[in-house]
Amino acid sequence: MEYLTGVAKKETLEISELLAGDLAGQKVKVNGAVHTIRDMGTVAFVVLRKREGLLQGVYEEGTAGFDLKDLREADAVEIEGTLEKNEKAPNGIEIRMESLRILSEPEADMMPLAISKWKLNTSLDAKLNYRPIALRNVRERAKFKLQEGITRAFRDFLYEQGFTEIYTPKIGAKSAEGGANLFRLDYFHRPAVLQQSPQLYKQMMVGVFDRVFETAPVFRAEKHNTKRHLNEYTSLDFEMGYIDGFEDIMAMETGFLQYMMAMLAKDYAKELKILNITLPDVSKIPAVRFDEIKQKVSEKYGHKMRNPFDLEPEEEQLIGQYAQEEWGSDFVFVTHYPSKKRPFYAMDDPADTRYTLSFDLLYKGMEITTGGQRIHDYKALREKIAVRGMEEEGLEHYLDTFKHGMPPHGGLGIGLERLTMKLVGEDNVRETTLFPRDLSRLEP
Amino acid sequence: MEYLTGVAKKETLEISELLAGDLAGQKVKVNGAVHTIRDMGTVAFVVLRKREGLLQGVYEEGTAGFDLKDLREADAVEIEGTLEKNEKAPNGIEIRMESLRILSEPEADMMPLAISKWKLNTSLDAKLNYRPIALRNVRERAKFKLQEGITRAFRDFLYEQGFTEIYTPKIGAKSAEGGANLFRLDYFHRPAVLQQSPQLYKQMMVGVFDRVFETAPVFRAEKHNTKRHLNEYTSLDFEMGYIDGFEDIMAMETGFLQYMMAMLAKDYAKELKILNITLPDVSKIPAVRFDEIKQKVSEKYGHKMRNPFDLEPEEEQLIGQYAQEEWGSDFVFVTHYPSKKRPFYAMDDPADTRYTLSFDLLYKGMEITTGGQRIHDYKALREKIAVRGMEEEGLEHYLDTFKHGMPPHGGLGIGLERLTMKLVGEDNVRETTLFPRDLSRLEP
């Protein structure tokens, strides 16, 4: 029997540790993957890929106690050597290599993609087919480090605001909005579906914790093969009680975006630099009515309105352009969506019941959030269900929760991959999804 | 058009705000759900349930500008009144009520469960059937607040340790370990499965970020209807590269548990008190070989070993008892599990290939973690697959990742609901699952 007592300090150093101490001239040990080898004849540069970035090793025959030929790209190695400053090297440091230990070797001689190039110049399809390799490219992986920052900010901000994190089931007898876009499965000989949203669960949990959030996968069997649709994505959801109106939800989202930009600027500066991203100003976000902005966009750009109760993707783009040109904002809340376009639980605007107390948030002309106030009154909820011609069957537990009292509440869902995509300036949501699932892609 | 500028301070105060300021004698406004009303004749106590706890309101005819009869349990209300100190009231404060605004009213006159009792004395089945109501009980909801603390600690600790959070797909063509316990679905006319583990994905991502983690649902179509099995649960997974051995994984888990206990003690003291929990000592956790502990337990308790290559649940319990009695620890790592009992990717012990470089962590006699070192060599991996009589079909992307180089690595998965269950002293994992999914339960 032995005892484990926690994480012990390792001999091998990370890049931040090499930079933190005054270690120039000293012997250090590091590990990493051989990202690239540039053999210049008398000297060679061996660049290691580490989680914190790239680290240059310098190989000189004679000084190094090993043969350069023993090293190959994609080796996992441990090297020892003297740390030196070099302005031209990544992070301004390099290691004059003295000894080498190979930890693991690849089987293949060639990488399927030129991952050590600064930009991975290849098709999206090739990137996705070789996803675990493509992501070894420094710029590719930086996108997903930023994605981490977004969720992290979402959670940390909401903890501060008194929210509780919840875990709701993804397999259920019924889903939030029903309809055709459900994946169906056999659950021990009972029909079941994958949840398209944690909507009904997070609402029920408002009665328990007042404010709740979840960051989890959702599943949509939509047959759209577009640049903006995924069949499985990560939804950042929150729901909060005791609101005065749906403006409270928009204010909370604005607060989150402000918190997020501050966290990215502080803790993810490296990735922002790698991707050359300037963070947008979110000190104030314009909010405009659905019918009003449709009118404005139609007038300004001569766009013909086909349907007064719907927004086409093209119109969303124009709204984004309008917000940028008129209000200098990448973001714009579009409020009071038509009731017909919103699910049964959305609260209609008492001033005009053709519209709802709800909103979308557009970021550079793309919807990244849908949210709003929900119906909290049991009778009103049942009436809306009846008016819609829906069945109460399968909604018994949901309705029962309202029967036993629920505060006024509302919430939203943010598509993580879309938000990441717009932030890093990509135009296909698959670029910012680790392993996308679409009509044709089920692997890797 | 209007602007949203972030979260504005509300007039209504939370409990921590009432306690923080020197507000005694001052007029305050609060909201909450009416948890219980105790009418004593001349005076009545109206207890509000808020997210931070219970808050007592005092009703006196004459002082209060409303009729007590207007108030019902489960109303969502806003009240205004004078804050006063009262040692007997929750948190030592109460509000002498002056005015009332009802925000929302329940339809039902009675709650299906006596949620305002300190302990919810009812069957597990009743609790689960009325889950969104049952969780309004202060003790019930405290368990899930602690569950939040566990995941929060897991993530924060791993961020500190240089891990990157990832989001891997839950629908796939193939799953980590294959076998019979997979939920199957139709994915646009192609057969697909729900992932039983992010195993293959997190391993592939080690080649990108060196250290990764995920906190997400996993799905197991196991036909066990026991107190410890769920068909969907939350798995806290991590995987790390450049390890010297599987002891590094156990050390990292020990570090996490230490971090977690410290965070719970600091940020979740209220919930620990509500549930009367004393946190276990995790300053050192014993680790003992599988074959050795089986022998010890058999000798000490006269337990007859039926199978030298398997652990029965009863044996796990005895190991827990042994660790408590002999080493004074609630936790014990059991190492070197038999190769036959581990999946193909587990690394065999070169010293004795009948065993693996892997472990389970038992907490009070129940397995809450499985982990270990994985095979990182492409050839060795293919050999193991062949020896097992498995097909490489469906594993092409996984294998391709190893073909192009992978560092030595390992990782683990922690069952969140089980860890919560043991921490709060429950004996059925459904008690610490918001909405459990088992053989018979698909709702709510």
Side-chain angles (χ1 to χ4, degrees):
Chain A
M1 195 273 296
E2 287 172 69
Y3 279 113
L4 277 298
T5 56
V7 185
K9 184 73 201 80
K10 291 271 179 187
E11 264 194 305
T12 49
L13 299 177
E14 297 308 316
I15 292 176
S16 54
E17 293 170 312
L18 295 173
L19 294 170
D22 188 19
L23 296 173
Q26 295 197 35
K27 199 169 263 196
V28 295
K29 198 185 265 186
V30 298
N31 57 34
V34 177
H35 197 55
T36 181
I37 303 174
R38 270 187 306 142
D39 190 351
M40 321 288 280
T42 53
V43 66
F45 297 103
V46 178
V47 176
L48 298 188
R49 185 181 66 248
K50 295 174 65 58
R51 61 177 188 258
E52 294 181 340
L54 299 177
L55 177 63
Q56 182 161 296
V58 184
Y59 176 91
E60 275 184 299
E61 254 181 53
T63 324
F66 61 94
D67 193 334
L68 186 65
K69 292 197 192 81
D70 293 342
L71 259 188
R72 287 198 305 164
E73 278 184 19
D75 277 350
V77 300
E78 184 177 282
I79 61 171
E80 209 167 353
T82 307
L83 186 74
E84 293 184 358
K85 294 196 174 170
N86 175 357
E87 275 181 21
K88 288 178 196 161
N91 297 302
I93 52 171
E94 64 187 14
I95 293 174
R96 209 150 281 267
M97 300 193 288
E98 286 158 31
S99 67
L100 167 75
R101 190 160 72 96
I102 291 180
L103 305 172
S104 165
E105 289 186 290
E107 173 72 12
D109 284 322
M110 285 280 290
M111 289 285 127
L113 303 169
I115 56 161
S116 61
K117 288 257 169 74
W118 184 241
K119 281 202 187 185
L120 196 57
N121 278 324
T122 185
S123 69
L124 175 60
D125 249 13
K127 277 195 219 174
L128 296 180
N129 288 337
Y130 293 102
R131 199 55 160 165
I133 309 296
L135 292 169
R136 296 180 184 180
N137 173 269
V138 170
R139 289 185 84 256
E140 291 298 317
R141 79 174 180 179
K143 294 175 200 168
F144 293 94
K145 195 72 194 173
L146 285 179
Q147 189 163 76
E148 165 193 279
I150 293 172
T151 343
R152 194 174 173 179
F154 184 76
R155 296 192 193 109
D156 283 1
F157 173 71
L158 294 178
Y159 288 138
E160 271 188 13
Q161 295 289 330
F163 284 72
T164 296
E165 181 168 12
I166 56 172
Y167 306 90
T168 69
K170 303 311 158 201
I171 301 179
K174 179 129 182 164
S175 190
E177 296 162 40
N181 64 348
L182 287 168
F183 287 110
R184 289 168 198 285
L185 70 152
D186 177 81
Y187 189 84
F188 305 116
H189 310 301
R190 293 167 66 184
V193 299
L194 293 181
Q195 296 294 348
Q196 5 161 243
S197 150
Q199 184 63 33
L200 307 189
Y201 290 98
K202 63 178 182 163
Q203 282 189 264
M204 291 192 280
M205 292 307 290
V206 163
V208 174
F209 286 114
D210 296 358
R211 297 180 163 194
V212 295
F213 76 87
E214 182 167 20
T215 56
V218 295
F219 307 91
R220 308 219 167 165
E222 289 177 26
K223 286 181 185 157
H224 300 303
N225 224 353
T226 77
K227 289 182 173 184
R228 46 196 260 151
H229 283 94
L230 292 167
N231 295 105
E232 176 180 349
Y233 70 89
T234 304
S235 185
L236 309 182
D237 270 278
F238 76 64
E239 198 76 15
M240 58 191 278
Y242 300 97
I243 59 173
D244 292 319
F246 76 104
E247 296 79 5
D248 284 354
I249 312 296
M250 295 192 289
M252 192 60 73
E253 181 163 28
T254 305
F256 153 60
L257 289 170
Q258 291 165 350
Y259 188 98
M260 172 189 128
M261 300 304 172
M263 182 187 254
L264 292 180
K266 185 173 164 285
D267 295 341
Y268 296 83
K270 198 165 57 191
E271 286 74 22
L272 294 173
K273 200 180 157 199
I274 288 171
L275 295 167
N276 198 22
I277 293 168
T278 308
L279 293 173
D281 175 16
V282 287
S283 58
K284 57 186 206 300
I285 299 180
V288 59
R289 283 185 63 101
F290 178 92
D291 47 9
E292 190 184 328
I293 191 70
K294 266 184 89 87
Q295 191 61 40
K296 281 184 196 294
V297 156
S298 163
E299 283 165 12
K300 179 161 183 178
Y301 304 109
H303 180 81
K304 202 185 157 207
M305 253 194 273
R306 265 189 284 256
N307 182 344
F309 293 108
D310 203 2
L311 270 194
E312 299 158 48
E314 199 188 325
E315 265 176 314
E316 285 190 356
Q317 270 178 26
L318 291 175
I319 294 172
Q321 191 181 330
Y322 189 96
Q324 186 52 259
E325 290 172 2
E326 300 291 324
W327 303 315
S329 179
D330 280 354
F331 291 88
V332 55
F333 286 110
V334 177
T335 67
H336 300 89
Y337 271 68
S339 189
K340 281 181 188 170
K341 288 282 153 187
R342 291 305 212 205
F344 74 93
Y345 50 77
M347 188 181 274
D348 289 337
D349 184 356
D352 182 348
T353 57
R354 291 174 307 164
Y355 297 93
T356 53
L357 299 175
S358 77
F359 66 92
D360 273 11
L361 177 64
L362 309 190
Y363 181 13
K364 293 180 189 164
M366 176 174 292
E367 178 251 303
I368 58 157
T369 296
T370 294
Q373 181 159 2
R374 329 296 188 183
I375 301 171
H376 57 265
D377 183 72
Y378 177 71
K379 274 187 191 144
L381 196 53
R382 291 189 67 192
E383 260 168 45
K384 187 84 168 273
I385 289 170
V387 166
R388 292 262 167 135
M390 291 169 59
E391 297 291 330
E392 290 191 6
E393 201 194 323
L395 292 172
E396 294 88 348
H397 291 98
Y398 178 71
L399 286 170
D400 190 61
T401 309
F402 289 81
K403 192 174 175 182
H404 295 98
M406 277 285 281
H409 65 283
L412 56 75
I414 301 173
L416 174 62
E417 295 82 357
R418 283 193 182 182
L419 174 51
T420 316
M421 158 183 146
K422 284 297 179 181
L423 186 80
V424 305
E426 289 291 348
D427 79 333
N428 191 316
V429 71
R430 289 161 188 78
E431 293 278 3
T432 49
T433 309
L434 270 191
F435 297 97
R437 292 292 175 258
D438 62 24
L439 275 178
S440 56
R441 194 169 284 278
L442 195 49
E443 290 178 295
Chain B
M1 196 271 297
E2 285 173 71
Y3 280 113
L4 276 298
T5 56
V7 185
K9 185 72 202 76
K10 290 273 180 187
E11 265 194 304
T12 48
L13 299 178
E14 297 308 316
I15 291 176
S16 54
E17 294 171 311
L18 294 174
L19 293 170
D22 188 19
L23 296 173
Q26 296 198 33
K27 198 169 265 195
V28 295
K29 198 186 266 187
V30 298
N31 57 35
V34 177
H35 197 55
T36 181
I37 302 174
R38 271 188 304 143
D39 190 351
M40 322 288 281
T42 54
V43 66
F45 296 104
V46 178
V47 176
L48 298 188
R49 185 180 65 247
K50 295 176 63 59
R51 60 177 189 258
E52 295 181 338
L54 299 177
L55 177 63
Q56 182 162 296
V58 184
Y59 176 90
E60 275 184 297
E61 255 180 55
T63 323
F66 60 94
D67 193 334
L68 186 64
K69 292 197 191 82
D70 293 342
L71 260 188
R72 285 199 304 164
E73 278 185 20
D75 277 350
V77 300
E78 184 178 283
I79 61 170
E80 208 167 354
T82 308
L83 186 74
E84 293 185 359
K85 294 195 175 168
N86 176 358
E87 276 180 19
K88 288 179 196 161
N91 298 301
I93 52 170
E94 63 187 14
I95 293 175
R96 208 150 283 266
M97 301 193 289
E98 285 158 32
S99 68
L100 166 76
R101 190 161 73 96
I102 291 179
L103 305 172
S104 166
E105 289 186 291
E107 174 72 12
D109 283 321
M110 284 281 288
M111 290 283 128
L113 303 168
I115 56 161
S116 61
K117 288 256 169 73
W118 183 242
K119 280 200 187 187
L120 197 56
N121 280 322
T122 185
S123 69
L124 175 61
D125 249 14
K127 277 195 218 173
L128 296 180
N129 289 337
Y130 292 103
R131 199 55 159 167
I133 309 296
L135 292 169
R136 296 181 184 180
N137 173 269
V138 170
R139 290 184 85 256
E140 291 298 317
R141 78 174 182 181
K143 296 175 199 168
F144 293 95
K145 195 73 193 172
L146 286 179
Q147 188 163 77
E148 166 193 278
I150 294 172
T151 343
R152 194 174 173 180
F154 184 76
R155 296 193 194 110
D156 283 0
F157 173 71
L158 294 178
Y159 288 137
E160 272 188 15
Q161 295 290 329
F163 284 73
T164 295
E165 180 167 13
I166 56 173
Y167 306 90
T168 69
K170 303 310 158 201
I171 301 179
K174 180 131 181 163
S175 191
E177 297 163 39
N181 64 348
L182 287 167
F183 287 111
R184 292 170 195 286
L185 70 152
D186 176 80
Y187 188 84
F188 305 116
H189 310 302
R190 293 167 66 185
V193 299
L194 292 181
Q195 296 294 348
Q196 353 156 256
S197 151
Q199 184 62 34
L200 307 188
Y201 289 98
K202 64 179 181 163
Q203 282 188 263
M204 293 192 280
M205 293 306 290
V206 163
V208 174
F209 286 115
D210 297 357
R211 296 179 163 193
V212 295
F213 76 88
E214 182 167 21
T215 57
V218 296
F219 307 92
R220 308 217 167 165
E222 288 177 26
K223 286 181 184 158
H224 300 303
N225 225 351
T226 77
K227 288 183 173 184
R228 44 196 260 151
H229 284 94
L230 292 167
N231 294 105
E232 176 179 348
Y233 70 88
T234 303
S235 185
L236 309 182
D237 270 278
F238 76 65
E239 199 76 15
M240 58 190 276
Y242 300 97
I243 58 171
D244 292 318
F246 76 104
E247 296 79 5
D248 284 354
I249 312 297
M250 294 193 289
M252 193 60 73
E253 182 164 27
T254 306
F256 153 60
L257 289 170
Q258 291 166 350
Y259 188 98
M260 171 189 129
M261 299 304 172
M263 182 187 254
L264 293 180
K266 184 174 165 287
D267 295 340
Y268 296 83
K270 197 165 55 191
E271 286 75 21
L272 293 174
K273 200 177 157 203
I274 287 171
L275 294 167
N276 198 22
I277 292 169
T278 308
L279 293 172
D281 175 15
V282 286
S283 58
K284 57 188 204 304
I285 298 180
V288 59
R289 283 185 64 99
F290 178 91
D291 46 11
E292 190 185 329
I293 190 70
K294 265 184 89 86
Q295 192 61 38
K296 281 185 196 291
V297 156
S298 163
E299 283 164 13
K300 179 160 183 181
Y301 304 109
H303 180 81
K304 201 184 157 204
M305 253 194 274
R306 265 189 285 255
N307 183 342
F309 292 108
D310 204 1
L311 271 194
E312 299 159 48
E314 198 188 325
E315 265 176 313
E316 284 190 356
Q317 270 178 27
L318 291 175
I319 294 172
Q321 192 181 331
Y322 189 96
Q324 186 52 259
E325 288 172 4
E326 301 291 325
W327 305 315
S329 179
D330 280 354
F331 291 88
V332 56
F333 286 111
V334 177
T335 67
H336 300 88
Y337 270 67
S339 189
K340 282 180 187 169
K341 286 284 155 186
R342 291 304 212 204
F344 74 92
Y345 50 78
M347 188 181 273
D348 289 336
D349 185 357
D352 182 347
T353 56
R354 291 174 306 165
Y355 296 94
T356 53
L357 299 175
S358 77
F359 67 91
D360 272 12
L361 178 63
L362 310 191
Y363 181 13
K364 293 180 190 166
M366 175 174 292
E367 178 252 303
I368 59 156
T369 296
T370 293
Q373 181 159 3
R374 328 297 188 182
I375 301 171
H376 58 264
D377 182 73
Y378 177 71
K379 274 186 191 143
L381 196 54
R382 291 190 67 192
E383 260 168 44
K384 187 84 169 275
I385 289 170
V387 165
R388 292 262 167 136
M390 289 170 61
E391 297 290 330
E392 289 192 4
E393 201 194 323
L395 293 172
E396 294 88 349
H397 291 98
Y398 178 71
L399 286 169
D400 191 62
T401 309
F402 289 81
K403 192 174 175 180
H404 294 98
M406 276 286 281
H409 66 283
L412 56 73
I414 302 172
L416 174 63
E417 295 81 356
R418 283 192 182 183
L419 173 51
T420 315
M421 158 184 150
K422 285 296 180 181
L423 186 79
V424 305
E426 288 292 348
D427 79 334
N428 192 315
V429 71
R430 291 162 187 76
E431 292 278 3
T432 49
T433 309
L434 270 191
F435 297 97
R437 292 293 175 255
D438 62 24
L439 276 178
S440 58
R441 194 170 284 279
L442 195 50
E443 290 178 294

